[in-house]
Amino acid sequence: MSTPTPRIAGQQAKPILQKPPGYRDPNGPQARPRPIGPLRKPPIPPSFPAKRRRKSCCRVCCCCFCFFIVLLIILIVIAGALFYLWFDPKLPVFHLQSFSFRHFNVSVKSDGTYLHAATLTRVEARNPNGKLRYYYGHTDVEVSAGKDKEIDLGTGSVPGFTQGTNNARSLKIETKTDELVEDGMGPRLMSHHKSKDLVVNVVVKTTVAVIVQGRKTRPLAVKVTCGGQSLKALDKMPKCTIHFLKWVSIH
């Protein structure tokens, strides 16, 4: 047990100094240092160059696609030009070769006025090509009379055939009709028939394919319109109009 130090009379007590914050007594127990963990890397902000790379890749792909399309178009144009120079393709030509009534009569019955008519039509199909052949599929022919095609004179058909180079072929179509017409139209039809002022119309519907060196192309639907003129004008063998692709018409 320690004995207190006697205080000398007349001597003042020294103030006790306070320990500064964080002071460690060297004579006291040593505190174990805390283990320092691995240093963490600061988070890296999102990098913008990745998006730029994606945009650049998209641009490269678009440029390559456009280049391929332009190259394909150029090759098609070159192939078409070579085909045209070598084969010199020409469209077929159609003429209304002849048209005649084998029978034409109007009869008045109790139930109305009837037109009895039989026609014979010849349409000439000409192939002006020297290196290309044409194949015509099943052909349907419609014959009518009147400017507005109001009188139906019947229909006929022609089986499919192949037309050689520099060749002309005559298509023979026979039609017959017994049609009920308006009462006032019968006398007018007879009058126009006798004076050859009756307007006749012939419509040919078929499919045409081109044969190139033994190979047949895909058939194309074609409509040929002939006539639209009076019987007097048909003696000059009028040229027909070709319609295809629903909006192309070539006379």
Side-chain angles (χ1 to χ4, degrees), residues 230-244:
S230 64
L231 293 173
K232 296 178 181 179
L234 295 182
D235 297 335
K236 300 179 182 180
M237 196 174 172
K239 191 176 181 180
C240 304
T241 304
I242 303 175
H243 310 271
F244 58 95

Side-chain angles (χ1 to χ4, degrees), residues 179-220:
E179 184 181 3
L180 178 65
V181 297
E182 296 180 3
D183 293 337
M185 187 176 291
R188 283 183 293 171
L189 290 174
M190 291 296 300
S191 175
H192 291 165
H193 175 256
K194 291 180 179 181
S195 62
K196 292 188 176 182
D197 291 332
L198 184 65
V199 177
V200 295
N201 309 276
V202 179
V203 178
V204 180
K205 297 180 180 179
T206 184
T207 58
V208 182
V210 181
I211 302 177
V212 184
Q213 296 181 351
R215 296 182 179 180
K216 187 188 302 183
T217 63
R218 184 176 180 180
L220 178 66

Side-chain angles (χ1 to χ4, degrees), residues 30-66:
Q30 296 291 333
R32 294 182 179 179
R34 295 182 179 178
I36 301 176
L39 298 177
R40 294 184 180 179
K41 296 182 179 180
I44 301 175
S47 58
F48 295 96
K51 294 184 178 180
R52 294 180 181 176
R53 290 178 182 176
R54 292 179 183 176
K55 292 182 179 179
S56 61
C57 292
C58 292
R59 291 178 182 176
V60 171
C61 293
C62 291
C63 292
C64 293
F65 179 76
C66 295

Side-chain angles (χ1 to χ4, degrees), residues 16-223:
I16 300 174
L17 297 178
Q18 296 181 355
K19 298 178 181 180
Y23 174 79
R24 292 182 179 179
D25 189 1
N27 298 324
Q30 296 291 333
R32 294 182 179 179
R34 295 182 179 178
I36 301 176
L39 298 177
R40 294 184 180 179
K41 296 182 179 180
I44 301 175
S47 58
F48 295 96
K51 294 184 178 180
R52 294 180 181 176
R53 290 178 182 176
R54 292 179 183 176
K55 292 182 179 179
S56 61
C57 292
C58 292
R59 291 178 182 176
V60 171
C61 293
C62 291
C63 292
C64 293
F65 179 76
C66 295
F67 176 77
F68 175 76
I69 294 298
V70 173
L71 182 61
L72 183 61
I73 293 174
I74 293 174
L75 292 177
I76 292 175
V77 172
I78 293 174
L82 294 176
F83 179 86
Y84 184 83
L85 293 175
W86 178 255
F87 292 100
D88 190 19
K90 298 180 180 67
L91 291 175
V93 181
F94 296 89
H95 289 89
L96 183 56
Q97 190 174 12
S98 64
F99 181 88
S100 61
F101 284 100
R102 302 177 63 182
H103 175 72
F104 192 93
N105 186 30
V106 175
S107 63
V108 180
K109 299 181 180 181
S110 59
D111 56 346
T113 303
Y114 287 86
L115 170 64
H116 310 280
T119 67
L120 174 61
T121 307
R122 291 184 181 273
V123 178
E124 183 189 66
R126 181 179 295 275
N127 179 15
N129 295 283
K131 298 180 180 179
L132 301 176
R133 294 183 299 163
Y134 284 117
Y135 174 78
Y136 294 89
H138 181 81
T139 303
D140 294 321
V141 182
E142 301 173 358
V143 182
S144 61
K147 294 182 179 180
D148 298 329
K149 304 178 182 179
E150 61 269 19
I151 306 300
D152 184 14
L153 297 178
T155 59
S157 62
V158 177
F161 63 94
T162 301
Q163 188 175 28
T165 58
N166 296 322
N167 177 267
R169 181 160 182 170
S170 179
L171 309 180
K172 180 181 177 182
I173 305 100
E174 296 182 2
T175 64
K176 186 178 180 180
T177 183
D178 295 304
E179 184 181 3
L180 178 65
V181 297
E182 296 180 3
D183 293 337
M185 187 176 291
R188 283 183 293 171
L189 290 174
M190 291 296 300
S191 175
H192 291 165
H193 175 256
K194 291 180 179 181
S195 62
K196 292 188 176 182
D197 291 332
L198 184 65
V199 177
V200 295
N201 309 276
V202 179
V203 178
V204 180
K205 297 180 180 179
T206 184
T207 58
V208 182
V210 181
I211 302 177
V212 184
Q213 296 181 351
R215 296 182 179 180
K216 187 188 302 183
T217 63
R218 184 176 180 180
L220 178 66
V222 174
K223 183 174 73 171

